[in-house]
Amino acid sequence: MENNINKAHMDKINMRKEITKYLKKWPWFILCIIICGAAGYTYLRYTTPQYLAKTQIILKDDSSKNSESVIFKDLGIMSTAGTKSIENDLGILRSRRLMNEVVRSLNLYIQYYIEGEFNDIELYENVPFSIHVMGFDENLLKQNGGGRFEVWRSSNKIYKIKNLQTGRIKEEEPGNTIDLGFAQIIIRPRENNRDYEGKTIVQFSEINKIAANYRNKINFTQADENSLLIGIELTDPVKEKARDILDQLIMEFNRSAIEDKNLIAGNTFDFINERLAIINEELDSVETGKKIFKQQNQLTDIHAESQMFIQNASDYNKKRQEIGTQLELSNAMLEYISSNSDGNLLPSNLGLSEGGVNDQIDEYNSLILDRNRLLAGSSEKNPMVIKLNSQIDQIKANVVQSLNRARSNLLISQEDIQRQASSIGSKIYSVPTKELQYRGIERQQSIKETLYLFLLQKREENSLAMAITEPKAKIVDRAYFSDYPISPNSRSVYMGTFILGLFIPFSLIYITGLLDNKIRKRVDIESMASNIPLVGEIPKMKQKLKLIKSNDRSVLAEAFRILTTNLQYLLITKKNKNSGITFLVTSTIKGEGKTFTSINLSITLANTSKKVLLIGGDLRNSKLQPFVINKSQKLGLCDYLADDTLTLDCLIQKSSLNAHLDILLSGNYPPNPYELLKTEKMGVLIEYMQKDYDYIVIDTAPSLLVADTFLLTKFADIVLYIVKAGFTDKELLEFPQRAKEQEKFSKIAFILNHVSKAHLGYGNNYGYGYGEAKERSWSKGYKSTVFDI
């Protein structure tokens, strides 16, 4: 339980630290938000707005059983025009052919612009003149690479047309035909813009390209999968144009559906007229024969004795008439099918008693219409066309087979009726032959009259079907548009730029943190080298750092006071309390502030009235020469170790920094510094100095570069290992840790140097620079020496 609480507490602290890391960079966030906001404003200012136009329609289902469709089915004129599913209707609405018709009807291939400050502004309803196209050749337009003209009206009311590609200018009066090469046009001024003399750019484009552009922009929505309610949307910079395109699209769709319906009715009308002409001739022939027969045989009425037999035979005659009519229709249909090409529609609803044949004919006609629509925008090699051709051939074969089967059944029925009629005929055998012949003539006349009247009725019904032009799509809402643009959306743009303004600095800070391999704050050391204590943090100054002076209340002085205090806690376990304390100052590489730390640490200790000796232990690079009083004296440690005649009393010098601070310079550069430091004389020197001084501070060489430092660690009570913030790589912390594990450093502590104000302590949240004395231009006293770390 306690572990969970500690973990939650640590997570909270880590989260707070992460947030604080970004909050410290708040000026960057504000700057990026301002820049991104300005970019968003510029985008909104100069981007062409897009407007949305909408409309709604209901596609009528041909298979629906509403009252209107039932009435037409009873009349035998149930139309099979149009598609059988909502997907097919949507396919027609999306078709290239239909959109091409819309472009032609609205002259959308002619666009009008006026020059704007940054972009051309398209005109639609407020064009200052009208252009009537008398002839238009797309091929020539394509060869010319398009047609772009500048049109304006001069002071004498003459129109000037400048070809922007060639620079040629034509002048014509309003109403005259103008030859543009690919088109002949007539320009007339509009009533409300007769005096307008500004320049207008007229752009002629290919119809297919304009149609393809709007096809891609139109969006169709369906309430649900089975709904016939279709929403159509179109976005365009000119909202009035988008509205007109949607209205024209629905108009063209309805016109196409009506044309398909009238095409079937027209073919049926032609077929009925042909049959009526043939039946009329046959009926005239029968009536003429009847008249001649009656004249030759002087017949006026049927004998009474034949009435009874004829009455019995009348039922059979009626059946023979019905069968004869059906045979005539079947033969006529078979003859029509055999004499017409595969691409023609078949007459429907002629009254065939075989119901399956009528359904097959309806299906055949529907497939013919679907194939013709596909062929309007593709070729015979289209897989859908090939598939439809296969289905058409199969259904046609089924129709022929069904008609032949129906005709065979009718012939069988006719033979059966003949056999039954023979039994009646035997009873009227005594009836005179002339009477029988007369009845035969009347039967022929009745069959022809029945068929003739039937075809007349069908022709009227078909004419009625042609007269009724019911639209395929019922308009629920006419096209309308919003007065506010949908794109660009200012709210979305500003929200996006705001998020982008936050994301850019956030990502840069985050990526910089991931790629940063430098030690920057105490947490970096504590997390990577927790087995070595951190006893002090030396702040980074705004300018070059000054050395500490007496009664100094600066942040730098306070940092070294805290350092010396922390060192006291590490020295509690020191065995010999009477000898001086030895600090060895080193680092991993050069430039991390060893000498700077050694001098200021020595000054801080000396300010407590303790005797302090600062030894230049780096025999390869002497840096303490500027801080002694006698700068001409250059002998030091190296000379003492190499020359037995020299004594320490003549080598140790008073410093110019503090009266309690003495300095032993490193001396002249030796050829063998490692061998000198390895001698026993070095141990004797340290032991002797520990009796005379309270503190001994040894400024040594970088421990990673040379082995000199490891020879001196055995004399040190504490090894102060300098790490420079923003300079030392994190991976270099492995070196002092390995050295401690190998017992090369008996007692080691880190000092973090050059720490920025933001990273000092725990993020400078607890009174950075508390009690710091402000520098004044008239301050007197010790003139601090500037030292570059």
Side-chain angles (χ1 to χ4, degrees):
M1 181 68 177
E2 183 178 356
N3 292 335
N4 293 335
I5 295 175
N6 292 334
K7 182 179 179 181
H9 180 66
M10 290 302 298
D11 290 342
K12 182 178 180 181
I13 294 176
N14 292 336
M15 180 61 69
R16 184 176 61 189
K17 288 182 178 179
E18 284 297 315
I19 295 174
T20 304
K21 178 175 67 174
Y22 295 101
L23 290 179
K24 290 177 181 178
K25 305 292 185 179
W26 66 266
W28 290 103
F29 285 89
I30 298 299
L31 178 62
C32 287
I33 290 174
I34 293 174
I35 294 174
C36 292
Y41 173 80
T42 304
Y43 172 78
L44 293 173
R45 175 66 178 82
Y46 300 113
T47 300
T48 302
Q50 299 286 329
Y51 295 89
L52 177 65
K54 296 181 179 181
T55 186
Q56 281 188 322
I57 60 174
I58 294 178
L59 294 174
K60 295 189 177 180
D61 188 2
D62 291 334
S63 61
S64 62
K65 301 301 181 181
N66 52 47
S67 59
E68 185 181 21
S69 63
V70 171
I71 292 173
F72 282 106
K73 186 174 181 180
D74 292 340
L75 290 174
I77 56 173
M78 185 64 186
S79 174
T80 59
T83 56
K84 295 295 183 182
S85 64
I86 188 68
E87 290 80 8
N88 291 338
D89 288 335
L90 289 177
I92 295 174
L93 284 168
R94 293 189 182 102
S95 66
R96 181 176 58 183
R97 175 185 62 85
L98 206 63
M99 185 53 70
N100 284 353
E101 292 298 327
V102 172
V103 173
R104 288 191 184 92
S105 300
L106 297 177
N107 290 333
L108 298 181
Y109 58 92
I110 306 176
Q111 295 171 291
Y112 306 88
Y113 298 92
I114 58 174
E115 291 186 355
E117 184 177 356
F118 290 92
N119 298 317
D120 292 342
I121 301 173
E122 184 175 359
L123 304 178
Y124 183 67
E125 291 185 340
N126 54 346
V127 181
F129 50 81
S130 61
I131 293 180
H132 302 275
V133 180
M134 310 303 295
F136 182 71
D137 192 331
E138 277 194 271
N139 294 328
L140 290 177
L141 176 65
K142 189 174 182 180
Q143 292 175 5
N144 293 338
R148 190 174 177 87
F149 301 87
E150 194 173 57
V151 181
W152 71 94
R153 199 174 186 188
S154 61
S155 57
N156 56 358
K157 308 304 180 183
I158 299 296
Y159 278 107
K160 293 186 178 183
I161 302 96
K162 179 180 179 181
N163 191 325
L164 296 179
Q165 292 175 304
T166 64
R168 295 179 180 177
I169 299 177
K170 293 184 178 182
E171 296 184 359
E172 291 289 346
E173 293 184 357
N176 291 350
T177 301
I178 304 172
D179 187 3
L180 301 178
F182 56 84
Q184 291 78 40
I185 64 172
I186 296 176
I187 302 180
R188 292 189 177 93
R190 295 186 184 272
E191 292 296 331
N192 55 346
N193 289 285
R194 283 187 172 274
D195 298 328
Y196 180 80
E197 295 182 359
K199 293 183 178 181
T200 303
I201 297 174
V202 180
Q203 174 73 48
F204 290 86
S205 304
E206 297 177 40
I207 294 176
N208 289 333
K209 290 185 178 180
I210 299 297
N213 176 49
Y214 284 110
R215 281 181 63 217
N216 295 331
K217 292 166 65 175
I218 287 183
N219 183 38
F220 297 89
T221 58
Q222 195 173 357
D224 55 64
E225 185 177 357
N226 299 320
S227 175
L228 297 177
L229 181 63
I230 305 299
I232 310 176
E233 298 178 352
L234 174 63
T235 57
D236 195 76
V238 184
K239 50 192 175 184
E240 295 84 359
K241 181 194 287 188
R243 175 198 61 195
D244 293 346
I245 289 174
L246 294 182
D247 285 338
Q248 190 67 29
L249 179 65
I250 298 172
M251 184 184 300
E252 294 293 336
F253 174 74
N254 284 331
R255 184 182 60 80
S256 177
I258 292 171
E259 286 179 354
D260 288 344
K261 173 183 173 182
N262 290 339
L263 182 60
I264 296 178
N267 287 345
T268 304
F269 183 80
D270 294 339
F271 171 77
I272 292 175
N273 283 337
E274 291 177 3
R275 299 309 303 170
L276 280 175
I278 296 173
I279 298 294
N280 188 45
E281 292 179 1
E282 294 176 352
L283 185 58
D284 288 342
S285 177
V286 171
E287 290 179 346
T288 302
K290 178 181 177 181
K291 178 181 178 182
I292 295 173
F293 180 81
K294 292 178 70 174
Q295 287 176 350
Q296 291 176 350
N297 296 278
Q298 297 181 353
L299 296 176
T300 58
D301 196 3
I302 301 174
H303 298 287
E305 58 269 18
S306 63
Q307 291 300 321
M308 182 178 62
F309 301 108
I310 294 174
Q311 181 65 34
N312 293 332
S314 62
D315 293 336
Y316 294 106
N317 292 333
K318 184 177 180 180
K319 292 181 179 180
R320 276 200 297 269
Q321 291 174 4
E322 293 175 356
I323 293 174
T325 299
Q326 292 297 319
L327 278 173
E328 286 286 338
L329 290 175
S330 299
N331 291 331
M333 283 296 296
L334 288 171
E335 180 183 354
Y336 180 81
I337 293 173
S338 62
S339 62
N340 284 274
S341 62
D342 293 339
N344 291 338
L345 299 169
L346 298 179
S348 61
N349 299 312
L350 292 178
L352 291 171
S353 59
E354 183 68 25
V357 175
N358 292 326
D359 294 338
Q360 291 173 349
I361 291 174
D362 291 343
E363 187 177 1
Y364 175 86
N365 288 336
S366 177
L367 291 174
I368 287 292
L369 290 176
D370 289 344
R371 184 193 64 178
N372 291 342
R373 276 192 294 269
L374 285 175
L375 286 175
S378 60
S379 64
E380 290 285 346
K381 295 182 179 181
N382 190 310
M384 292 298 297
V385 174
I386 294 172
K387 182 178 179 181
L388 287 174
N389 285 335
S390 176
Q391 294 177 357
I392 289 170
D393 293 337
Q394 182 179 357
I395 293 176
K396 182 177 180 181
N398 293 339
V399 171
V400 173
Q401 183 180 0
S402 298
L403 288 173
N404 287 328
R405 183 172 58 251
R407 185 175 63 178
S408 299
N409 293 336
L410 289 172
L411 290 174
I412 294 173
S413 298
Q414 189 179 49
E415 291 177 0
D416 183 64
I417 292 296
Q418 289 289 354
R419 286 194 301 269
Q420 295 180 18
S422 299
S423 64
I424 300 298
S426 63
K427 297 179 181 179
I428 58 173
Y429 180 76
S430 59
V431 177
T433 303
K434 294 180 180 180
E435 182 67 20
L436 293 175
Q437 293 176 352
Y438 179 75
R439 290 300 178 185
I441 293 173
E442 284 189 335
R443 283 195 299 272
Q444 290 295 324
Q445 181 185 14
S446 177
I447 290 172
K448 301 298 181 183
E449 286 178 350
T450 302
L451 182 58
Y452 185 79
L453 294 174
F454 176 78
L455 291 176
L456 284 176
Q457 179 185 357
K458 289 301 177 182
R459 185 172 67 178
E460 293 302 318
E461 293 173 352
N462 191 68
S463 299
L464 180 61
M466 293 180 66
I468 299 175
T469 56
E470 180 187 16
K472 178 70 175 177
K474 180 180 179 181
I475 299 176
V476 177
D477 285 325
R478 296 194 67 83
Y480 63 95
F481 54 79
S482 173
D483 291 328
Y484 300 97
I486 63 168
S487 174
N489 189 315
S490 58
R491 179 179 299 179
S492 300
V493 169
Y494 283 127
M495 180 61 69
T497 55
F498 177 77
I499 294 174
L500 183 63
L502 294 176
F503 174 76
I504 291 176
F506 176 85
S507 60
L508 290 178
I509 294 171
Y510 179 75
I511 294 173
T512 302
L514 290 179
L515 300 178
D516 186 12
N517 64 339
K518 304 295 183 182
I519 299 294
R520 298 193 179 274
K521 50 189 175 181
R522 67 180 301 135
V523 177
D524 297 335
I525 296 179
E526 292 172 348
S527 61
M528 299 183 65
S530 57
N531 58 331
I532 299 176
L534 176 64
V535 294
E537 295 177 89
I538 311 302
K540 173 184 177 182
M541 298 290 102
K542 294 181 180 179
Q543 300 175 350
K544 291 184 178 181
L545 296 180
K546 301 181 298 181
L547 296 182
I548 299 173
K549 53 189 176 180
S550 60
N551 299 323
D552 196 340
R553 296 176 58 191
S554 66
V555 178
L556 179 64
E558 293 297 337
F560 274 96
R561 292 189 185 103
I562 294 173
L563 169 62
T564 57
T565 303
N566 292 336
L567 290 175
Q568 299 303 319
Y569 289 101
L570 296 179
L571 296 170
I572 293 177
T573 58
K574 180 176 171 61
K575 296 180 180 180
N576 188 357
K577 304 290 184 178
N578 296 323
S579 62
I581 299 171
T582 303
F583 297 116
L584 188 145
V585 181
T586 187
S587 67
T588 309
I589 57 177
K590 62 181 297 185
E592 293 182 291
K594 298 181 298 301
T595 302
F596 167 77
T597 304
S598 300
I599 295 173
N600 280 294
L601 176 61
S602 301
I603 294 173
T604 303
L605 294 172
N607 285 337
T608 60
S609 300
K610 300 292 185 180
K611 292 185 64 177
V612 181
L613 174 63
L614 175 60
I615 300 176
D618 187 356
L619 303 184
R620 304 169 190 266
N621 187 12
S622 177
K623 293 183 178 180
L624 301 180
Q625 188 72 30
F627 307 106
V628 296
I629 296 176
N630 185 11
K631 295 181 172 54
S632 61
Q633 172 63 275
K634 296 183 179 181
L635 299 178
L637 176 63
C638 179
D639 304 284
Y640 171 76
L641 296 176
D643 189 354
D644 293 336
T645 62
L646 296 176
T647 62
L648 292 175
D649 295 336
C650 65
L651 297 178
I652 296 176
Q653 302 185 55
K654 291 293 182 179
S655 73
S656 60
L657 305 176
N658 192 289
H660 300 284
L661 174 61
D662 295 338
I663 297 177
L664 177 60
L665 301 176
S666 59
N668 296 307
Y669 297 141
N672 55 346
Y674 180 79
E675 286 74 12
L676 291 177
L677 293 175
K678 194 176 181 181
T679 60
E680 295 182 0
K681 196 173 182 180
M682 183 66 196
V684 174
L685 182 150
I686 297 298
E687 184 177 359
Y688 178 76
M689 292 297 104
Q690 287 178 341
K691 296 177 181 179
D692 291 343
Y693 290 93
D694 297 312
Y695 295 100
I696 300 174
V697 179
I698 306 175
D699 179 25
T700 65
S703 55
L704 180 64
L705 304 180
V706 294
D708 301 357
T709 303
F710 293 106
L711 298 174
L712 302 176
T713 55
K714 59 185 176 181
F715 307 120
D717 293 304
I718 299 177
V719 176
L720 299 179
Y721 204 93
I722 309 301
V723 177
K724 187 175 181 179
F727 179 80
T728 306
D729 290 343
K730 293 180 179 179
E731 59 183 15
L732 293 180
L733 290 184
E734 297 178 1
F735 178 78
Q737 293 184 81
R738 288 197 304 267
K740 181 178 181 180
E741 292 172 358
Q742 297 169 2
E743 297 183 353
K744 294 181 180 179
F745 293 148
S746 58
K747 200 166 189 178
I748 182 174
F750 282 126
I751 295 177
L752 183 58
N753 182 31
H754 202 64
V755 184
S756 65
K757 178 181 178 181
H759 295 150
L760 191 65
Y762 291 93
N764 191 33
N765 292 327
Y766 304 101
Y768 173 88
Y770 172 78
E772 179 181 355
K774 306 297 181 181
E775 291 188 0
R776 292 175 292 183
S777 59
W778 58 84
S779 62
K780 299 180 180 180
Y782 170 73
K783 183 177 180 181
S784 62
T785 301
V786 177
F787 187 81
D788 187 4
I789 63 170

